[in-house]
Amino acid sequence: MPRKKTIDKLIEVAVMAAIRHPLTYRVPEGMDVRPGHRVMVPLGARQSRGIALEPRTRLAPGVRVREISRVLDPQPLLSPELLTLGLWIAEYYLAPVGEVFRAMLPLKPEISRMRVVTLTEAGRKKLDELASSLLEEARSNEEVRLLRHVAGTGAAKMVSYESARRKFSASPQVIASALKDGLLTIKTIAREGKQRETFAVRLVGGPVPSPAEQRLSPMARRILEALDQLGPAEDHRALLKSARGDLAALKKLEQAGLVQLGQPQPGGAQIPVAAGSVAAEPKLPNLTAAQAAVMADLKASLEMGKFEVVLLQGITASGKTEIYLRLIAECLERGRDALMLVPEIALTPGVQAQFIERFGHRVALLHSGLGARERHDAWWRASLGEAKVVLGTRSAVFAPLANLGLVIVDEEHDPSYKQQEAPRYHGRDAAVVRARLAQALAVLGSATPSLESAHNARTGKYRIRTLEERIGGRPLAQVEIVDMRQEFRETLTQVPISRRLKEEIELQLRTGAQTMILLNRRGYSWFVLCRSCGQTQRCVNCSISLTYHRREHQMVCHYCGFTAKVLARCPACDSEHLHYVGEGTEKLEDKFVELFPGARVTRLDRDVARRQGQFAKTLSDFRAGKIDILVGTQLIAKGHDFPGVTLVGVVSVDAGLSMPDFRAAERTFQLLTQAAGRAGRGDMPGRVLVQTFYPEHYAVRMAAEQNYEVFFTKEMRFRRLMHYPPWTALANIIARHKDLERAAGVARHIKNYFDSLETSAQGLKVLGPSPAPLARIEGRYRIQCLIKANSRAKLNEVLHRLVDYCEQRGVAARDLMIDMDPVNLM
């Protein structure tokens, strides 16, 4: 009887590489592969991870496929809902599908690659010959030591090439010689990744003992001082890095009873909660009439169990967070999960404390600032149903919650929700799609909604609810504009702090009230200028001047991170007349210390926040009244509640208004309104002083009046006239390469493609190609082309054809960057 021909089982796999489309693989007989499984597949000469998608029924004649190597997990890790979300992101944002799923799975790699040194037959033979030699010279020979070292490890304990180089660093030529003579060989192997244990560390007892009280090594004292200054550490590795210590020193401190090591809280939680416990029933604040009305409306939407988007527009301090917390509690009571996104990692500690208080161990924290282990643990807690509430930044939109009923996007207008590297998705828009797929309620909250969301609400795509009064009937802060042109005319000096702001701060200090000072520019000085020849010290990778950071005493590029020494003389003309131009938060901090010697002044920006625990400690000290003046960037203007702050000073908004971006006015209005919202949240009324050289600008005037409706109307009129979003769809196409001619070649391909289209007939408008405002970043020249379209679907179709067109002409994927719905045109 003839053997029945078997039909190949085929499946699409999103390979985690820079490949646009899924690849087809054959499923070996007996292997269980389902959509959502992680798999290992052959890709060229190597093995790569991938996510199994949908089965495929047939192939074109003559097409050969390779087999899946193995399945990595017993059960699929991604639900159909998350698979659909990932495919939508890849399609809409023109992102490589595997890169999207890589971003969705913040798990530790299950394999790593290592170069190992092994003994060849020739090497083993020579070692045997030398071993029988009685000559002392042979026994002490470096080559013999090397061969013995490699041979003596056995199969279970291999010698890596790097460790061999370190061991024989005194005579590095011995390894090169053994490789050249064929005594050793190097091969790359794949091995299972080791899970390194992470410890939480805290001080035991009182303050750090003085040198007279207890003798400690310099390393041990640095570790203790770091703990004393920054507070308990959730990850001992970050602590040791900041203190320049090692694990052995930490273990000795534990043995001496000076520190205690324990398990870190799952998901990076910094507030201990007993395993299996539920948060104690907190005393809930009374809702205002406006809050109660909004809450009742949103609760009714939640009960319907259908997809809906509600824009919650509430002025600062109107109680939006309390509504979020109560909605989440209602969602949990109905047996469904909740997801809340915040724009910045820096905002999570304060919000996290409220979530832990309300929901206890059911909360997981997910953001890129966590260590690999913390992200891994938090992801699995959500996947296994141990965590029913996930709080995080934009990447938390991919949290594997099985029964999502509520998605909240706080400060939905914030540009931080837009990912600036591939895949360039917008966290807010992805959250709305996630809610639609889950048939969940989506709540977008803001005091100053983005024009896109406000437009959607006014055209009926979203529903809008408003909170127009502050809690307790507190008035909005009074905003005063300080004209710095008049300040210069009267004082003939260009100073960062006006006389009016100085007077107000002196009054604050006399009354014991707190002050926040906003300057959205970190560092000490903007750049260094040679007064003789006009040259500035520029980044070697980017077309931008370096910023002077006094604390590190170095010049820093805020785009690529390049650092350089502070020069004493101009490298162009050898002049010693170098001038430090402009003020950043570092310089402003020093200026306030100088002006107000008795005041407690602290700075808070990204430079400070990246030191472990320092951000949370500074906010805690400020809330406790231990700081009089807090100087910072936009980090201090978002979402914080400091009842003791009655004065906010905005040193300058002019840099933001001068940016070559159609969103400059919107961002300035939002930043000023958010900053003004930090004042007067307690019992005392608040005041805001805004220093500017553009006092007549409508964004500044409307922010001073805190009049969103007038600003929205005026800005929308401008956007409609100029054909900018939300009236049109927008894409930013950038040709980029380290060689300017190659970048120009890619730009020519882009131009030729659009020249071949009847753009006006298809509702398209093409601007460029032209040099990008930042013509070079990270060593790559950038040529920009902006595309406006009446139809988002048409624009997406045209862009996909552009990618195909460029691929056919040999343009590498990394040389063509497409940013759909860009929020930054720099």
Side-chain angles (χ1 to χ4, degrees):
M1 186 175 178
R3 186 177 179 182
K4 187 176 180 180
K5 185 177 179 181
T6 59
I7 299 175
D8 288 338
K9 184 180 177 183
L10 306 172
I11 197 165
E12 299 279 293
V13 175
V15 182
M16 293 187 183
I19 300 173
R20 286 178 60 205
H21 304 293
L23 302 179
T24 304
Y25 286 88
R26 179 182 292 109
V27 180
E29 191 173 348
M31 181 182 285
D32 177 26
V33 181
R34 285 167 280 159
H37 262 134
R38 285 191 306 171
V39 294
M40 293 298 296
V41 295
L43 183 68
R46 62 187 176 91
Q47 290 283 311
S48 181
R49 285 182 299 156
I51 297 294
L53 302 175
E54 292 299 320
R56 182 164 179 172
T57 55
R58 64 183 66 183
L59 288 171
V63 175
R64 298 180 61 188
V65 295
R66 304 168 77 177
E67 285 190 343
I68 292 175
S69 303
R70 62 191 175 103
V71 180
L72 297 175
D73 308 286
Q75 298 295 326
L77 293 191
L78 294 179
S79 64
E81 176 188 307
L82 286 174
L83 289 176
T84 304
L85 177 64
L87 292 172
W88 175 81
I89 288 175
E91 173 72 17
Y92 182 74
Y93 293 101
L94 293 90
V97 64
E99 294 295 326
V100 174
F101 286 111
R102 190 200 302 274
M104 294 177 76
L105 288 169
L107 304 181
K108 298 177 186 176
E110 54 297 295
I111 63 166
S112 61
R113 292 175 175 81
M114 180 175 71
R115 291 193 298 171
V116 297
V117 183
T118 57
L119 209 60
T120 63
E121 283 300 318
R124 194 170 299 281
K125 184 177 179 181
K126 181 164 185 178
L127 184 60
D128 291 341
E129 292 172 358
L130 291 172
S132 61
S133 171
L134 298 177
L135 294 175
E136 185 64 29
E137 181 183 353
R139 292 182 181 276
S140 61
N141 186 280
E142 282 290 282
E143 187 176 78
V144 178
R145 288 183 59 241
L146 172 64
L147 297 180
R148 283 176 176 166
H149 177 66
V150 174
T153 56
K157 187 180 178 184
M158 297 169 289
V159 175
S160 71
Y161 175 61
E162 284 71 22
S163 68
R165 284 183 61 186
R166 287 194 298 270
K167 185 172 181 63
F168 293 90
S169 58
S171 49
Q173 72 283 352
V174 67
I175 297 179
S177 178
L179 290 168
K180 183 178 179 182
D181 295 341
L183 305 178
L184 296 178
T185 185
I186 295 177
K187 63 180 181 179
T188 302
I189 64 166
R191 63 174 183 172
E192 296 294 323
K194 293 182 179 179
Q195 184 169 323
R196 296 182 180 178
E197 190 171 8
T198 305
F199 302 107
V201 190
R202 70 176 184 87
L203 278 173
V204 175
V208 178
S210 66
E213 293 172 326
Q214 187 165 0
R215 292 186 59 184
L216 294 169
S217 69
M219 182 183 295
R221 189 163 293 279
R222 286 198 303 270
I223 293 172
L224 292 178
E225 288 173 350
L227 278 171
D228 186 46
Q229 181 183 4
L230 304 178
E234 279 297 308
D235 188 336
H236 76 279
R237 295 167 299 180
L239 169 68
L240 295 179
K241 184 177 180 181
S242 65
R244 305 191 311 281
D246 58 31
L247 186 58
L250 188 61
K251 289 291 183 71
K252 287 181 180 178
L253 287 172
E254 183 189 30
Q255 293 168 4
L258 295 174
V259 302
Q260 184 180 44
L261 305 185
Q263 291 300 313
Q265 293 294 320
Q270 296 171 350
I271 301 172
V273 179
S277 70
V278 177
E281 191 68 32
K283 184 179 179 181
L284 301 183
N286 295 324
L287 296 182
T288 64
Q291 279 180 304
V294 170
M295 183 64 204
D297 180 83
L298 294 178
K299 182 179 176 181
S301 295
L302 193 65
E303 288 173 348
M304 291 175 62
K306 294 181 180 179
F307 168 64
E308 185 183 23
V309 183
V310 178
L311 176 63
L312 178 57
Q313 182 175 351
I315 63 172
T316 55
S318 60
K320 295 187 291 295
T321 302
E322 182 60 30
I323 290 177
Y324 299 154
L325 292 167
R326 296 200 185 201
L327 264 182
I328 291 171
E330 292 285 346
C331 183
L332 296 180
E333 280 189 14
R334 285 159 178 74
R336 302 190 73 180
D337 305 331
L339 168 66
M340 178 161 162
L341 304 184
V342 293
E344 295 269 6
I345 293 172
L347 296 183
T348 53
V351 182
Q352 178 189 347
Q354 298 178 66
F355 272 62
I356 295 288
E357 181 186 2
R358 294 284 180 97
F359 308 116
H361 71 281
R362 293 177 291 178
V363 178
L365 192 67
L366 267 179
H367 60 71
S368 58
L370 298 172
R373 175 167 182 161
E374 287 77 16
R375 286 201 308 274
H376 180 95
D377 292 346
W379 192 94
W380 274 110
R381 289 185 61 230
S383 180
L384 296 172
E386 296 174 8
K388 310 295 286 181
V389 180
V390 168
L391 170 68
T393 50
R394 61 175 177 262
S395 59
V397 74
F398 305 128
L401 296 167
N403 188 16
L404 191 61
L406 175 66
V407 179
I408 298 171
V409 183
D410 192 27
E411 308 291 357
E412 64 83 31
H413 66 275
D414 199 289
S416 301
Y417 282 119
K418 177 70 182 210
Q419 173 98 346
Q420 296 301 323
E421 301 84 28
R424 292 177 177 81
Y425 67 94
H426 199 298
R428 177 199 61 214
D429 298 341
V432 171
V433 174
R434 175 86 194 267
R436 177 172 59 80
L437 294 171
Q439 289 298 293
L441 171 65
V443 178
L444 311 181
S446 176
T448 54
S450 64
L451 264 66
E452 287 82 356
S453 294
H455 178 68
N456 285 337
R458 283 157 176 77
T459 55
K461 188 175 181 180
Y462 299 166
R463 203 156 57 81
I464 186 168
R465 291 308 308 256
T466 58
L467 293 170
E468 299 177 347
E469 294 182 359
R470 282 184 154 189
I471 298 293
R474 299 184 183 100
L476 288 170
Q478 292 184 342
V479 182
E480 177 184 338
I481 298 174
V482 179
D483 187 348
M484 295 303 284
R485 301 170 304 180
Q486 183 68 22
E487 183 79 9
F488 177 76
R489 286 193 290 265
E490 293 178 3
T491 64
L492 297 179
T493 58
Q494 189 169 335
V495 293
I497 303 167
S498 65
R499 293 166 296 170
R500 182 80 182 89
L501 180 57
K502 185 180 176 184
E503 290 171 3
E504 287 293 329
I505 295 175
E506 287 173 344
L507 177 62
Q508 290 286 103
L509 294 173
R510 284 198 300 270
T511 59
Q514 291 178 297
T515 303
M516 291 177 68
I517 301 294
L518 173 68
L519 174 60
N520 202 23
R521 195 147 196 166
R522 60 192 175 98
Y524 192 84
S525 296
W526 302 348
F527 58 90
V528 177
L529 172 73
C530 175
R531 295 192 181 194
S532 296
C533 68
Q535 290 290 320
T536 61
Q537 194 172 349
R538 301 181 71 80
C539 177
V540 298
N541 303 314
C542 309
S543 54
I544 192 169
S545 298
L546 297 176
T547 300
Y548 173 51
H549 285 245
R550 187 174 183 178
R551 181 178 178 273
E552 294 82 9
H553 191 57
Q554 61 184 8
M555 308 298 292
V556 180
C557 175
H558 288 173
Y559 282 87
C560 72
F562 171 79
T563 60
K565 293 180 179 179
V566 179
L567 301 177
R569 308 185 75 88
C570 174
C573 68
D574 199 39
S575 169
E576 62 182 10
H577 301 293
L578 301 180
H579 177 54
Y580 290 80
V581 179
E583 302 85 19
T585 48
E586 270 191 278
K587 189 171 186 177
L588 211 58
E589 179 188 20
D590 287 354
K591 189 72 176 175
F592 280 114
V593 170
E594 176 188 326
L595 287 173
F596 309 107
R600 298 166 295 178
V601 183
T602 301
R603 170 172 56 95
L604 192 55
D605 53 26
R606 289 193 187 280
D607 297 323
V608 175
R610 68 167 55 104
R611 284 176 264 167
Q612 190 206 19
Q614 189 59 46
F615 186 90
K617 183 177 186 302
T618 301
L619 291 181
S620 176
D621 288 349
F622 191 53
R623 189 172 285 108
K626 299 178 182 178
I627 298 168
D628 298 315
I629 303 173
L630 181 64
V631 179
T633 56
Q634 62 177 339
L635 286 181
I636 67 173
K638 300 177 181 179
H640 304 296
D641 187 7
F642 302 117
V645 174
T646 56
L647 175 66
V648 172
V650 182
V651 170
S652 175
V653 297
D654 302 335
L657 283 173
S658 304
M659 298 293 279
D661 193 321
F662 71 92
R663 285 193 172 89
E666 180 184 8
R667 286 186 185 146
T668 300
F669 174 84
Q670 289 167 342
L671 182 62
L672 287 178
T673 305
Q674 293 287 334
R678 299 316 108 203
R681 298 172 79 98
D683 297 330
M684 299 296 292
R687 306 180 317 285
V688 182
L689 293 184
V690 179
Q691 299 182 170
T692 178
F693 284 92
Y694 304 124
E696 297 91 1
H697 196 287
Y698 67 93
V700 176
R701 287 190 294 105
M702 292 305 102
E705 296 174 14
Q706 300 186 58
N707 194 330
Y708 180 85
E709 291 304 317
V710 174
F711 173 79
F712 174 82
T713 302
K714 187 174 183 65
E715 185 69 8
M716 286 292 283
R717 191 180 301 126
F718 160 73
R719 299 278 184 94
R720 189 168 198 167
L721 180 68
M722 301 303 294
H723 301 284
Y724 277 118
W727 297 110
T728 59
L730 183 69
N732 190 15
I733 304 170
I734 294 183
R736 55 185 186 175
H737 199 277
K738 291 185 177 180
D739 180 73
L740 180 58
E741 285 297 321
R742 294 282 295 276
V746 176
R748 280 193 293 272
H749 285 308
I750 296 171
K751 184 178 186 305
N752 293 339
Y753 169 75
F754 283 109
D755 285 346
S756 69
L757 301 177
E758 294 182 7
T759 53
S760 57
Q762 298 190 49
L764 300 176
K765 186 174 180 62
V766 181
L767 305 178
S770 60
L774 281 174
R776 190 165 171 258
I777 291 181
E778 296 182 346
R780 291 184 174 188
Y781 293 94
R782 307 164 78 245
I783 301 174
Q784 185 181 71
C785 192
L786 285 176
I787 314 298
K788 302 176 184 178
N790 296 330
S791 164
R792 201 171 297 276
K794 185 64 180 178
L795 176 58
N796 193 260
E797 175 194 337
V798 166
L799 293 177
H800 276 283
R801 295 209 310 265
L802 168 64
V803 175
D804 293 336
Y805 178 91
C806 290
E807 278 185 357
Q808 292 165 9
R809 283 149 184 79
V811 175
R814 63 181 175 274
D815 298 340
L816 178 68
M817 189 198 90
I818 297 179
D819 190 4
M820 189 74 179
D821 300 333
V823 300
N824 186 351
L825 299 183
M826 296 298 288

